[in-house]
Structures are given as C-alpha cells and as structure tokens.
Amino acid sequence: MPETIGDYSPAPDLLRDKVILVTGAGDGIGRTAARTFAAHGATVILLGRTTQKLEQVYDEIEAAGGPQPAIFPMDLAQARIENFEHFAEAVDQEFGRLDGLLHNASLLGQRTPIANYHYGTWEQVMQVNVNAAFGLTKTLLPMLEKSEAGSIVFTSSSVGRKGRAFWGAYAVSKFATEGLMEVLADEMDGVSSIRVNSINPGATRTNMRAAAYPAEDPKGVTAPEDLMPTYLYLMGDDSSDVNGRQFNAQG
Ligand code: NDP
C-alpha cells in the first residue's frame, strides 16, 4: 500500500555535504527538486536534455546561495550503456561518490488506445522511462555504495499502480519502474546501505500535466513545491531505514 509521510519538517541542513543526481532537472518537478535539495545543502548534479534549461537552474541555485551544482546534458532517448558508463566515471572523478539518485525524467508519449499506439513512440517512452533509469542505476551503483547511506528514488504515477485506458506506454513504463524499484530494493535489503523507494507525485502543475490534461486550469493543480517534503524525506537520513516502499507525495 502506498504511504504518505504526514507532517514532516526537514532540518534546514538535511542534505548538507550530500551529492545528489536529479534527472530531468531542467523543468517541472525535477527543477524544483534540484533547487530544493540545494537549498537544504546538497551539491546537485543536474542531468537533462536541454542545456539552456539546466544552465538556468544552475544560475537559480547559485543566486540562492546553494552549493555550486554540476551540469551534465544527456538525451536519455539516445543514451546507451557507454554513455551511462562515461557519466559514472565523470561522477567518480568529480565527486568520488553519490549519495542520492532521483529518477525523475520521463516522457508522456501518446494518450491513445493500445490498438492505435505508435510502435516508435512506445519504444521511446520505454527507453527514457525504463531503460535509461536501469542503465543509470546499474552504472551508478558502485558510486552509491561509496556513500554512507545512498538513496535511490524512482518516480512513479497513479497509472503505474493501477492501469487506466489510453495511458499506453507511460502507464506500462511506470509499472516497470515500480518493478525495478522492488527488485533492486530486495537485492539491497540487509546487504547494502543503499535504500530504494518510489514516489507518485500526484497531479502536479507542470508541462507534462498540461499536455495530459489540456483543458484543465493549471491554477487548481498542486505546485511542485508542495511535494518537496516527501522528496526531502526520502533523500535525507531520516529515511535511512526505509526500503522498498511506495510513497504518495500528496495526501
Ligand atoms: P515535465 O515534462 O514537466 O519535466 C520532465 C523533465 O524531464 C524535463 O526537464 C525534460 O527535459 C526531462 N526529459 C524528458 N525527456 C528527456 C530525455 N530524453 N532526456 C533527458 N531528460 C528528459 O514533467 P514533470 O515534472 O511533470 O514530471 C516529472 C516526473 O513526475 C515524471 O517522471 C513524471 O512521469 C512524474 N509524474 C508527474 C505527474 C504530474 O502531474 N506532473 C504525475 C505523476 C507522475 P526538457 O526540459 O528538455 O523537456
């Protein structure tokens, strides 16, 4: 059963000295998570496909007085295992470890019946949402093992916990995301200090939400900032005993 964290007040320096990677850090929830992690003391590695957006988040973090972030542009739709290996080497050289990994980047794909779903779009959604998350996780595990308490957070969705018509590859990719989380969490259980959990953000005011619900008034939708207690809880040491669990960021 998915859980919520209830009232949680993160310490202002909750993530001090931690190195945390956020994928899809240039926009939406990832951008807010990156800024929030930095505001709580983390050095954030900003990974995404649009360099200009990553640079903007970098500037925002610096202007707010956060630790200097790092930028790593990568199009996860094109990335292959060599790219992930190269990235892990760069993280090792620059930081020597990784304390947190937020798998946030995702593609929505089409909202259409399975019978009409375009095969190429299906492949692309699975590549970005599942294969890339696997490739990054696999290659970064040695970096996370070097942390005293590494945290991997996967981003799910309500349609990754209960399938719904017309959500196609996106829903299936989120079921796979939950599966990857569960398998890895079980592998880590009792033998590693790494913990692995998933968050369903719930309806959140971003470009993806607007694309999925074009007729909706965004003003009535929860802002990414309001989700951050759950993200902070899972990245910080308050959750160091929490492994293999599903969270909802909204009550
Ligand atoms: P957005 O579309 O607003 O942001 C997604 C980010 O991922 C963007 O920065 C985007 O880059 C990046 N991204 C997309 N494709 C790639 C790629 N090929 N390579 C690298 N980066 C890429 O989405 P949200 O912020 O809404 O979603 C964040 C997460 O939350 C996703 O996993 C989503 O499935 C999940 N979620 C969101 C909900 C919502 O209501 N918003 C509800 C449930 C789950 P660029 O900026 O260049 O486009």
Side-chain angles (χ1 to χ4, degrees):
M1 273 295 285
E3 306 168 47
T4 51
I5 58 163
D7 282 336
Y8 174 65
S9 300
D13 64 347
L14 179 79
L15 304 178
R16 193 177 56 200
D17 298 332
K18 289 194 185 292
V19 179
I20 299 179
L21 168 64
V22 178
T23 72
D27 214 331
I29 297 167
R31 168 175 172 245
T32 300
R35 294 176 55 174
T36 305
F37 294 161
H40 286 78
T43 299
V44 185
I45 306 171
L46 308 167
L47 187 151
R49 66 179 165 186
T50 311
T51 305
Q52 206 185 347
K53 289 187 181 183
L54 299 176
E55 285 172 351
Q56 196 181 330
V57 178
Y58 181 105
D59 290 345
E60 290 165 356
I61 290 172
E62 287 238 299
Q68 186 182 27
I71 288 183
F72 205 99
M74 191 190 296
D75 181 356
L76 297 172
Q78 307 299 328
R80 294 294 175 266
I81 188 68
E82 304 76 43
N83 305 103
F84 301 129
E85 284 165 352
H86 169 70
F87 175 65
E89 279 163 28
V91 172
D92 191 15
Q93 273 169 22
E94 186 73 20
F95 301 106
R97 69 171 202 287
L98 190 63
D99 302 300
L101 167 51
L102 173 60
H103 289 295
N104 166 80
S106 275
L107 283 182
L108 178 63
Q110 291 171 283
R111 301 279 324 277
T112 196
I114 294 290
N116 296 342
Y117 211 95
H118 183 254
Y119 192 85
T121 305
W122 182 284
E123 282 186 318
Q124 209 177 27
V125 171
M126 298 306 275
Q127 162 63 23
V128 172
N129 299 9
V130 183
N131 300 352
F134 158 67
L136 278 172
T137 303
K138 176 188 159 63
T139 51
L140 288 168
L141 273 177
M143 290 295 99
L144 286 148
E145 289 286 5
K146 289 189 188 179
S147 168
E148 281 174 20
S151 175
I152 303 177
V153 177
F154 287 96
T155 307
S156 185
S157 165
S158 49
V159 295
R161 293 172 179 171
K162 171 82 182 83
R164 292 213 312 267
F166 315 136
W167 283 86
Y170 179 81
V172 174
S173 77
K174 294 298 185 179
F175 270 87
T177 298
E178 295 282 14
L180 178 54
M181 181 280 282
E182 274 190 19
V183 170
L184 186 60
D186 201 37
E187 288 172 1
M188 297 294 116
D189 194 35
V191 298
S192 169
S193 58
I194 300 175
R195 62 197 188 280
V196 191
N197 297 283
S198 70
I199 295 181
N200 168 19
T204 310
R205 194 192 309 149
T206 66
N207 292 339
M208 183 186 287
R209 177 75 192 184
Y213 294 89
E216 183 177 71
D217 181 358
K219 286 207 263 331
V221 184
T222 302
E225 285 75 11
D226 296 335
L227 317 175
M228 290 302 120
T230 308
Y231 284 76
L232 286 166
Y233 171 71
L234 286 177
M235 277 303 168
D237 292 340
D238 293 324
S239 63
S240 52
D241 293 337
V242 176
N243 186 40
R245 286 162 46 186
Q246 298 180 329
F247 287 83
N248 288 334
Q250 299 186 48

